[in-house]
Amino acid sequence: MNASMAVIEIAEPGGPEVLRLASRPIPQPGPGVVLIRVAAAGVNRPDVMQRKGLYPPPPGASDIPGLEVAGEIVAVDAPEAKARNPLPLGEGRVRAKPADRATASPQVLSLPDIGSKVCALVTGGGYAEYCLASAELCLPWPAGFDAVQAASLPETYFTVWSNLVDRARLHAGESLLVHGGSSGIGVAAIQLARALGAVVYATSGSAEKCRVCEELGAVAINYRERDFVAEIEARTEGRGVDVILDMVGGDYLQRNLSCLASEGRLVQIAVQNGPKASINLLPILLKRLTLTGSTLRARPVEQKASIAAALLERVWPLLGAGRIKPVIHARFPLALAAEAHRLMESGVHIGKIVLTV
């Protein structure tokens, strides 16, 4: 390997033009960490927020944007780290079990080693030729997937699984409303919920986006033309939905509460319309509602490793079998990261935007 690598830096908080191509030393992996030669990196809304100065990386994370990558492992822990660890990478280890499967037997899996093609959830550093990742957050490319498809998975499916299954406890026979159904998160949520046996409704802002949501198995609602609260009430005969996955926030909060059935759960994963809202608390009391939410980036590796184990067991087989498919809207070379961000902010994309390296 060369001593340096190409990266995309954020010169200062601002618009897409502040993303610049630069050179930095290739990082070296420490204990429990691997170095990935990046072939592709997903572009996500948190990257845009970081670029604007609204979502700083957690302590110890790279300041380079990018939260998901796919590529090949080219280095593992330093030798002194292996001396302290009786099981070097590549030998059988027990991954963390999903938190909601405490009674299940541990699944013995091989953690990745040099030469493995993996996709990984990272806390930063994805917009680069090389990226460090926790070994426990690396997953193999699903069967038949290329680097671009694999890079579109980690941030999306870690988020969707954690919130729909771990937090909202969505299960077969229930109903789900997804806001932003044509986004990368929305596309994944629709497909996963359908695979779990749920009925899915999705809001989107154009006829084309609604068509895609319908093709994925959701009942689509064009929020620019119809009131989603009235639509949900009519389509559920006044009952409401069991779970709502919302990335809008702001004035959607009260409307979401109106859409929930008794014992319903609202899961907040972003606040694109703002973090503050005035609400009437009575629906929460009368319908015994649960309001929850989460972020992913700053959570401990152990928690994210539990999600990784669940994805490998429950979701990766669906991807390999073609029951769930990534939707890639566009791909850009790394040097054109600013153009990828402009597309992301335009809102016209359907599914994922990916950088190729």
Side-chain angles (χ1 to χ4, degrees):
M1 293 186 294
N2 296 324
S4 62
M5 63 177 181
V7 305
I8 295 295
E9 293 180 335
I10 301 172
E12 59 184 1
E17 67 279 359
V18 304
L19 296 177
R20 66 184 182 191
L21 191 64
S23 179
R24 290 194 183 182
I26 295 175
Q28 299 301 309
V33 175
V34 300
L35 179 67
I36 298 172
R37 180 188 291 120
V38 178
V43 177
N44 294 283
R45 187 70 59 175
D47 303 342
V48 173
M49 294 174 61
Q50 179 177 336
R51 190 203 73 220
K52 292 179 176 180
L54 302 175
Y55 190 42
S62 171
D63 65 319
I64 298 169
L67 301 177
E68 58 185 353
V69 299
E72 180 181 350
I73 293 178
V74 293
V76 297
D77 334 30
E80 61 269 24
K82 289 188 176 184
R84 296 193 299 269
N85 190 335
L87 282 178
L89 293 177
E91 296 188 15
R93 283 187 182 172
V94 178
R95 276 188 190 259
K97 293 178 295 183
D100 59 350
R101 291 169 174 263
T103 60
S105 298
Q107 187 176 8
V108 178
L109 302 168
S110 293
L111 289 177
D113 207 341
I114 292 175
S116 299
K117 288 187 175 181
V118 298
C119 55
L121 181 73
V122 296
T123 55
Y127 291 14
E129 290 183 306
Y130 294 87
C131 181
L132 295 176
S134 169
E136 291 185 283
L137 304 185
C138 293
L139 292 166
W141 296 4
F145 275 47
D146 61 20
V148 168
Q149 293 171 311
S152 76
L153 302 176
E155 170 72 9
T156 300
Y157 278 96
F158 272 77
T159 297
V160 170
W161 181 274
S162 174
N163 287 284
L164 283 189
V165 179
D166 290 343
R167 303 199 69 78
R169 307 177 307 282
L170 180 70
H171 56 266
E174 290 197 310
S175 54
L176 167 70
L177 170 61
V178 179
H179 289 302
S182 61
S183 66
I185 291 289
V187 165
I190 291 170
Q191 294 186 83
L192 180 58
R194 292 289 294 145
L196 292 173
V199 175
V200 184
Y201 303 90
T203 62
S204 237
S206 72
E208 173 65 11
K209 290 181 177 182
C210 286
R211 181 187 63 79
V212 171
C213 292
E214 296 272 1
E215 290 177 352
L216 294 174
V219 176
I221 302 168
N222 188 331
Y223 66 84
R224 298 186 190 276
E225 298 178 353
R226 293 178 284 170
D227 176 20
F228 72 81
V229 177
E231 284 292 316
I232 292 296
E233 182 177 9
R235 292 180 179 274
T236 63
E237 298 181 342
R239 178 185 180 276
V241 294
D242 298 293
V243 175
I244 298 176
L245 185 67
D246 182 43
M247 59 192 80
V248 181
D251 60 357
Y252 265 41
L253 177 55
Q254 193 68 56
R255 300 170 72 190
N256 283 333
L257 298 182
S258 299
C259 290
L260 284 170
S262 294
E263 307 289 349
R265 290 89 73 194
L266 169 61
V267 188
Q268 200 73 46
I269 60 170
V271 286
Q272 293 176 17
N273 275 10
K276 297 181 180 180
S278 298
I279 65 169
N280 176 359
L281 296 172
L282 281 178
I284 300 175
L285 305 178
L286 297 174
K287 294 193 285 186
R288 302 175 300 282
L289 304 180
T290 298
L291 276 63
T292 186
S294 71
T295 59
L296 185 62
R297 191 176 188 182
R299 294 172 69 178
V301 169
E302 293 77 14
Q303 292 183 16
K304 289 185 278 192
S306 178
I307 302 170
L311 291 176
L312 191 62
E313 178 186 353
R314 299 282 301 280
V315 177
W316 256 231
L318 299 176
L319 289 161
R323 292 184 57 193
I324 295 176
K325 299 178 181 179
V327 175
I328 309 298
H329 182 90
R331 59 188 76 190
F332 294 85
L334 181 66
L336 296 183
E339 294 305 312
H341 275 226
R342 288 189 180 95
L343 176 58
M344 169 72 72
E345 291 186 279
S346 75
V348 302
H349 64 287
I350 297 174
K352 297 284 291 190
I353 301 168
V354 178
L355 300 176
T356 56
V357 182

